[in-house]
Amino acid sequence: MGTKRAFRIWRGDADGGALTDYQVEVNEGEVVLDVIHRLQATETPDLACRWNCKAGKCGSCSVEINGKPRLSCMTRMSTFEEAETVTVTPLRTFPIIRDLVTDVSFNYAKARETPAFSPPGDVSPGDYRMQQIDVERSQEFRKCIECFLCQTVCHVVRDHEENKQAFAGPRYFIRAAELDMHPLDTHTDRKEYAQAEQGLGFCNITKCCTEVCPEHIKITDNAIIPMKERVVDRRYDPLVWLGNKIFRRGQVPQTSVTGSHDSGAVHSRASHDGGFHSHAGGSHDQAAEVQAQQGVNWDREVPHPTAPALDAKGKMPLTELTFDRPAAPSPFGDDVTFPLPPEHLNFAHPKQDEQY
């Protein structure tokens, strides 16, 4: 016979709920999920929880136990004091469906936005070859079981609901890092995509995602920080900047944020679903122009870089070398005269049409 232990479980739905106390039998070697199943069998058959494998490999049974996001099938009762009340609540970051079940569809939407692995066109399936060292570099990230504990503990979305549209979260940062390391992936703009569309810049590397990962993936140290370093090298390193100016190399890769829709670039639905992109430049899209007049500028695109300006001797002038943009034309176009009328500005003030 086991001993009676105190449990406090959140019961309710999207309209509200409360913590309910239970006294339930606990046997040696059991985990929290065992206790929840016993409650369902003996006292509360309508208690809703999500689970599948009970082996720590499916990620379905994610809950918060005593305030910490964990897998209930991997949390042993022996880790708690006998007199301690074990509190089980649903994942706080995601909308509640019922009891311990939450709606994690946010994560699947972000997965659909992430560009898939793109192998070389001239290599047939079955003929892909990689060095073992390349396999080992990204193998760690393939261990992810998509329990979404890292997603729920990330304070960027946990404490700020408004960030969800523009932030993919640590689970998809490691996906981007994995593909960026993959020698057979033909997309060359994974890091730029992570910065421009996945919200990599929002992450301030507190390592909370690493702390809760049941697969012990070093999310911050091995994925997020290296991705941030690559972005910084590309965008802000003064030597790289000077090399780009002189040799016109390393232009910012074209994504759906920075490039045209017919350039074979990576495209994301984020900009069409309410993403927070605001880039100047003419897109030649009537719908985008109407949005711009209303102060919304999600779909407009930055003009393509042009060839560097040369003087009569074929030399690059000093002003071009010190210019703060990589030889891009005016975002307003070459046929615009100044001052601009208010209705042509990138931001439309609510009172711009009032006469003073």
Side-chain angles (χ1 to χ4, degrees):
M1 291 292 293
T3 58
K4 290 283 186 178
R5 300 284 292 273
F7 265 74
R8 184 170 293 155
I9 298 180
W10 195 91
R11 304 298 306 276
D13 53 27
D15 296 326
L19 291 168
T20 304
D21 291 316
Y22 298 96
Q23 290 290 324
V24 59
E25 179 183 320
V26 175
N27 300 311
E28 185 177 358
E30 288 188 330
V31 295
V32 170
L33 185 58
D34 291 322
V35 178
I36 292 174
H37 285 169
R38 183 168 292 116
L39 276 171
Q40 289 177 319
T42 58
E43 295 185 48
T44 60
D46 61 338
L47 172 61
C49 74
R50 183 182 281 136
W51 72 285
N52 188 20
C53 73
K54 202 173 178 289
K57 291 301 176 186
C58 74
S60 301
C61 62
S62 301
V63 291
E64 297 194 9
I65 302 173
N66 287 359
K68 182 177 180 179
R70 304 182 185 186
L71 295 178
S72 59
C73 73
M74 298 299 289
T75 306
R76 294 199 171 275
M77 289 301 302
S78 58
T79 60
F80 305 105
E81 298 292 334
E82 205 166 304
E84 184 178 357
T85 298
V86 179
T87 303
V88 185
T89 56
L91 299 178
R92 198 182 86 182
T93 302
F94 307 117
I96 293 172
I97 297 176
R98 206 183 92 201
D99 297 340
L100 302 179
V101 180
T102 55
D103 180 3
V104 295
S105 58
F106 160 80
N107 302 287
Y108 300 116
K110 294 301 179 183
R112 286 194 298 270
E113 291 174 5
T114 303
F117 169 65
S118 180
D122 57 347
V123 181
S124 302
D127 293 335
Y128 302 152
R129 296 293 181 268
M130 292 173 60
Q131 297 295 322
Q132 183 60 34
I133 190 172
D134 292 321
V135 176
E136 292 169 355
R137 290 178 70 201
S138 60
Q139 185 63 33
E140 176 186 14
F141 307 133
R142 300 291 294 181
K143 296 193 301 180
C144 176
I145 60 175
E146 295 202 322
C147 60
F148 303 129
L149 295 184
C150 62
Q151 296 285 90
T152 191
V153 79
C154 181
H155 58 275
V156 176
V157 292
R158 187 180 179 94
D159 299 329
H160 303 279
E161 181 72 20
E162 67 277 11
N163 287 341
K164 284 188 175 180
Q165 287 288 343
F167 189 74
R171 191 284 169 256
Y172 300 104
F173 293 153
I174 68 172
R175 176 63 174 160
E178 173 205 338
L179 292 173
D180 196 46
M181 295 177 181
H182 202 301
L184 294 175
D185 184 53
T186 57
H187 280 307
T188 59
D189 57 354
R190 296 288 181 183
K191 47 190 165 288
E192 182 65 25
Y193 180 85
Q195 174 72 12
E197 302 241 11
Q198 290 186 305
L200 181 66
F202 283 132
C203 173
N204 55 8
I205 56 177
T206 57
K207 298 191 179 183
C208 50
C209 51
T210 301
E211 291 178 6
V212 299
C213 179
E215 289 294 318
H216 307 292
I217 301 171
K218 299 295 188 289
I219 300 172
T220 310
D221 292 331
N222 293 351
I224 296 178
I225 290 177
M227 287 291 281
K228 280 178 170 284
E229 288 174 344
R230 292 170 204 155
V231 170
V232 169
D233 286 346
R234 190 68 169 276
R235 290 182 170 220
Y236 306 114
D237 186 286
L239 294 178
V240 174
W241 175 87
L242 184 59
N244 291 344
K245 285 295 179 183
I246 296 174
F247 301 109
R248 282 298 177 269
R249 295 175 181 171
Q251 299 288 5
V252 174
Q254 299 296 302
T255 69
S256 59
V257 175
T258 61
S260 66
H261 292 287
D262 59 358
S263 63
V266 173
H267 299 302
S268 166
R269 295 176 49 129
S271 61
H272 302 288
D273 294 337
F276 299 100
H277 306 309
S278 181
H279 294 269
S283 63
H284 306 292
D285 182 341
Q286 278 300 111
E289 294 302 319
V290 170
Q291 285 183 326
Q293 297 303 324
Q294 297 170 346
V296 183
N297 199 21
W298 313 145
D299 296 320
R300 308 186 83 203
E301 298 163 353
V302 176
H304 295 293
T306 58
L310 303 177
D311 59 21
K313 297 181 180 180
K315 303 291 186 181
M316 187 181 299
L318 181 62
T319 53
E320 172 65 20
L321 282 172
T322 57
F323 195 49
D324 62 352
R325 284 181 294 145
S330 166
F332 298 102
D334 297 327
D335 57 346
V336 177
T337 57
F338 291 88
L340 290 173
E343 62 270 16
H344 290 170
L345 292 176
N346 197 34
F347 170 75
H349 192 278
K351 298 182 180 180
Q352 69 177 22
D353 296 325
E354 294 182 7
Q355 298 299 321
Y356 296 98

